[in-house]
Amino acid sequence: MKVVVCKDYNEMSKIGANIIITEMLKKDVFKIGLATGSTPKKMYEYLIEAYENKVISFKNVLSVNLDEYVGIDFNDNNSYHKFMFDNLFNHVDINKENIFIPTPKENELEKSVEEYNRILDKIGKRNLQVLGMGNNGHIAFNEPSNKLNLRTSVVNLKKETIEANSRFFESEEEVPTKAMSMGIADATNADVILVMASGKGKHYAVKKLINTEVVDLEFPASVLKLKENVILLVDKEAYSGE
Ligand code: F6R
């Protein structure tokens, strides 16, 4: 795992975007896995800027997202569908047919999961996967547990994740308690894995990921230690805790 410590969130976002752009320019068709949340937001702005400056095009980009809340309208401000369109897809020339986001239909959850796994099987290994990390070490919504899902599943969010994500909602009660998430095998099925973490709140997870010498299911990000070509991109605050 290569660790890159950046001076701040802005620098981290710029470097992250440059890593993606470099990989994108190598391929005729680029398959990318994307994350939501506050961490990659600014990086998406830099990708949009690169598109506007005609450095990159998304015409031949195929994108798959990690997760979506269960029980939230896809037009709701907190839905990950809306997040992706607002923060990236509406601003670039991606073909809407090449966008895949978990779509949990409340009365057909099992079918929704099967469908997404079928899509992932069809797409296969991505060229690059962007991952954020929860304060508790979750990647996608694979929460600390005594077992980790390999494939897409409907998962219960942990109390600490609900608390952390309540910053986007009016109250903690409004945060969905379930999500549909790629499993660990799918979330890490990529040639390059770009893990990003920013701010003091991520210090515990960053330190643990760097130092862990075991795969610890109570710390899901530790599975990244089994993977080659992982880049951990952090800002100083997340790295030092100060
Ligand atoms: C989001 C996702 C989550 C987040 C993580 C960090 O698609 O899969 O694992 O990456 O919860 O969220 P932020 O970036 O908001 O701190």
Side-chain angles (χ1 to χ4, degrees):
M1 190 173 69
K2 182 175 164 194
V3 184
V4 182
V5 184
C6 310
K7 89 170 182 282
D8 55 22
Y9 176 67
N10 185 50
E11 188 180 271
M12 181 191 85
S13 307
K14 209 177 225 171
I15 293 176
N18 284 338
I19 291 170
I20 294 178
I21 292 166
T22 305
E23 295 301 317
M24 255 173 110
L25 292 173
K26 287 183 195 165
K27 301 277 174 204
D28 294 333
V29 174
F30 189 64
K31 296 192 264 180
I32 189 165
L34 294 175
T36 57
S38 38
T39 311
K41 251 180 133 168
K42 184 97 198 158
M43 180 177 76
Y44 293 151
E45 284 178 27
Y46 281 115
L47 289 180
I48 294 167
E49 192 182 291
Y51 161 72
E52 286 170 349
N53 292 334
K54 301 196 172 18
V55 178
I56 47 169
S57 160
F58 286 75
K59 268 203 177 110
N60 295 319
V61 170
L62 202 146
S63 152
V64 281
N65 261 80
L66 292 169
D67 38 26
E68 175 60 285
Y69 289 120
V70 171
I72 205 165
D73 190 277
F74 299 139
N75 294 314
D76 188 288
N77 276 336
N78 281 308
S79 114
Y80 287 170
H81 278 76
K82 184 151 167 45
F83 175 99
M84 287 311 304
F85 280 89
D86 286 354
N87 289 288
L88 182 64
F89 299 146
N90 281 341
H91 309 281
V92 295
D93 61 346
I94 191 163
N95 181 344
K96 303 284 180 278
E97 281 162 22
N98 289 340
I99 296 171
F100 301 96
I101 304 175
T103 304
K105 298 188 195 104
E106 265 196 295
N107 299 324
E108 297 181 311
L109 286 177
E110 217 172 292
K111 201 170 151 209
S112 313
V113 164
E114 277 167 21
E115 254 169 41
Y116 206 61
N117 278 333
R118 259 201 303 277
I119 290 167
L120 293 173
D121 287 341
K122 207 165 161 197
I123 292 170
K125 198 172 192 182
R126 273 141 269 148
N127 300 111
L128 187 144
Q129 174 67 51
V130 177
L131 290 179
M133 212 178 9
N135 299 349
N136 63 3
H138 73 219
I139 50 174
F141 273 137
N142 295 284
E143 297 279 35
S145 171
N146 57 3
K147 58 178 172 21
L148 292 175
N149 294 313
L150 294 171
R151 306 297 318 271
T152 307
S153 313
V154 171
V155 296
N156 292 317
L157 299 178
K158 285 262 181 182
K159 194 173 178 316
E160 61 267 20
T161 300
I162 292 173
E163 261 167 35
N165 289 3
S166 66
R167 68 192 192 280
F168 302 113
F169 292 79
E170 299 225 327
S171 70
E172 205 172 303
E173 288 67 48
E174 280 182 33
V175 186
T177 56
K178 287 183 189 297
M180 179 170 151
S181 172
M182 274 192 208
I184 285 287
D186 290 319
T188 60
N189 187 17
D191 295 325
V192 178
I193 301 175
L194 179 60
V195 190
M196 301 174 76
S198 162
K200 280 183 221 158
K202 297 288 165 73
H203 178 58
Y204 162 82
V206 166
K207 196 171 162 198
K208 190 146 179 168
L209 175 57
I210 292 172
N211 293 314
T212 188
E213 288 185 356
V214 294
V215 172
D216 176 358
L217 303 189
E218 291 291 338
F219 185 72
S222 61
V223 300
L224 292 166
K225 284 291 183 74
L226 296 169
K227 292 278 166 179
E228 284 174 21
N229 298 329
V230 177
I231 305 169
L232 175 62
L233 194 55
V234 295
D235 62 14
K236 250 194 201 149
E237 283 190 348
Y239 186 70
S240 68
E242 282 159 22

